[in-house]
Amino acid sequence: MILDRLLSWFTVDMGIDLGTCNTLVAVRGQGIVLNEPSVVAVRKGTNEVLRNGQAVGWVAKEMLGKTPGSITAVRPLKDGVISDFTITEAMLSYFIGKVTGRIRTIGPRVVISIPSGITLVEKRAVLDSAQRAGARKTYLLEEPVAAAIGAGLPFAEPTASMIVDIGGGTTEVAIMSLADIATCESVRVAGDDMDEAIINHMKRTYNLMIGEQTAERIKIEIGSAAPVGDETAMDVRGRDMISGLPRKTTITSEEIREALQEPVNSIIDAVTRTLERAEPELSADLVDRGIVIAGGGALLRGLGIVLQKATGLDVRLADDPLTCVARGTAVYLENLEEWQVTLENDMDV
Ligand code: ADP
Ligand code: MG
């Protein structure tokens, strides 16, 4: 341990939020040093990563718009499970390499936050990838724990904290106390499903095909879970499903709210189910402490309001919800010696 601490003076120890949409890396004293989409460009139909494993993140995203159909984008963690180990490893190596730089004598210590629903085999694969990418030591941290630390919740104290982390592919709901997860649930309904609900709405109502990026823009610009502020409208362009020709139409914030109801309700259900399973003593704490929401999906307007209505508890949006998990992994890294002994769910296997 002491040697480890000494060595860490010479390395760039880092915390990584391996998200379904975005991967972030935080380094002690420097904050977030990398924030890129969790995307890898591969040759279509294969798991061959382009440019010797260098077509990852922004590079991959940029290549996509400009390359022929033989190249496709893969989001290896899209639904909160690792769809392809080779591609995940390429992504992790690229990001770790980018942060440590070329000259690497002693490998860094790495804390990686992973969706809590992933299997042991997948955890092993993440550990192996980090090791092969040059990590000296790797610790896996469950995402809700990282989110709770990042949000500054007293997760190690004998009082209940509740976090709801809404990402792109998964929503993680957890009640924690004494540095341990008491109850948690991971559902595969999150930001991506909101985009998909908007795509379906446009098809059904307007016979208009729109892309995923357009759907995401609609969600961010005028989407909501409950009425907040003035209702607005927006022009949307796409391809007419009948004539096949480009066309535009105007949509309103009310109809998008309606379209988002199904994924929003699934998230609410996951939260209420988790609350129903909590020990009464922990429920009692939550009456005072409320719920904290984090992740990009938490930025949907009015989401706090609908969660508050459904649970009767106070709902607070974490500061900077998109970086919450990454910041949490960095804080965990700093307190490794102290928390490693208390955290039962530490997976340094
Ligand atoms: P992950 O941890 O799975 O990588 P993030 O926490 O980075 O996910 O969140 C990404 C999701 O948040 C995406 O679905 C994105 O569309 C959504 N998102 C980002 N900003 C907003 C916003 N202002 N309103 C609604 N959704 C948002
Ligand atoms: Mg996340």
Side-chain angles (χ1 to χ4, degrees), residues 19-22 166-169 191-192 216 219-220 295-297 299-300 322:
T20 63
C21 263
N22 303 297
I166 307 156
D192 290 343
E216 185 182 25
K219 171 184 71 178
I220 292 175
L299 288 166
L300 183 74
L322 279 158

Side-chain angles (χ1 to χ4, degrees), residues 47 61 68 73 101 116 122 135 181 190 192 195 214 234 244 249 268 280 312 324-325 327 330 333 335:
N47 59 5
K61 233 182 179 172
S116 61
E122 291 171 325
I181 293 181
D192 290 343
D195 303 348
T214 303
M234 180 180 172
T249 186
I268 295 174
C324 206
V325 170
R327 286 183 287 112
L333 195 54
N335 296 280

Side-chain angles (χ1 to χ4, degrees), residues 317-341:
L317 179 65
D319 289 338
D320 203 357
L322 279 158
T323 64
C324 206
V325 170
R327 286 183 287 112
T329 56
V331 174
Y332 178 77
L333 195 54
E334 266 177 61
N335 296 280
L336 211 51
E337 284 83 5
E338 184 191 338
W339 284 343
Q340 217 192 327
V341 279

Side-chain angles (χ1 to χ4, degrees), residues 43-79:
R43 208 166 293 288
K44 210 171 198 159
T46 70
N47 59 5
E48 185 191 336
V49 183
L50 297 168
R51 289 200 197 156
N52 288 329
Q54 299 298 300
V56 179
W58 292 119
V59 180
K61 233 182 179 172
E62 229 161 68
M63 281 174 74
L64 281 171
K66 300 171 192 152
T67 42
S70 61
I71 291 170
T72 138
V74 177
R75 278 174 56 193
L77 287 132
K78 195 166 190 270
D79 297 309

Side-chain angles (χ1 to χ4, degrees), residues 147-169:
I149 300 173
L153 295 179
F155 93 112
E157 282 163 34
T159 176
S161 301
M162 181 164 189
I163 192 107
V164 181
D165 178 5
I166 307 156

Side-chain angles (χ1 to χ4, degrees), residues 95-234:
F95 290 140
I96 293 178
K98 203 166 173 183
V99 172
T100 48
R102 287 225 177 79
I103 313 154
R104 205 166 46 204
T105 41
I106 312 159
R109 287 186 304 172
V110 180
V111 170
I112 305 177
S113 115
I114 37 134
S116 61
I118 77 172
T119 63
L120 265 176
V121 176
E122 291 171 325
K123 283 174 187 168
R124 184 80 250 173
V126 173
L127 282 174
D128 289 347
S129 309
Q131 230 67 32
R132 272 198 290 271
R136 175 169 94 253
K137 233 168 172 182
T138 311
Y139 306 87
L140 298 185
L141 186 61
E142 274 166 328
E143 196 177 301
V145 179
I149 300 173
L153 295 179
F155 93 112
E157 282 163 34
T159 176
S161 301
M162 181 164 189
I163 192 107
V164 181
D165 178 5
I166 307 156
T170 58
T171 295
E172 313 250 336
V173 186
I175 298 173
M176 279 158 273
S177 172
L178 284 170
D180 205 357
I181 293 181
T183 318
C184 78
E185 181 163 331
S186 172
V187 288
R188 285 174 196 171
V189 179
D192 290 343
D193 303 84
M194 297 180 194
D195 303 348
E196 212 176 299
I198 293 175
I199 292 177
N200 289 336
H201 168 75
M202 295 308 290
K203 267 195 224 162
R204 263 201 316 266
T205 318
Y206 300 101
N207 278 324
L208 195 68
M209 290 278 280
I210 59 164
E212 281 170 21
Q213 278 164 18
T214 303
E216 185 182 25
R217 220 170 39 240
I218 297 172
K219 171 184 71 178
I220 292 175
E221 268 183 42
I222 66 168
S224 65
V228 276
D230 292 337
E231 301 292 350
T232 49
M234 180 180 172

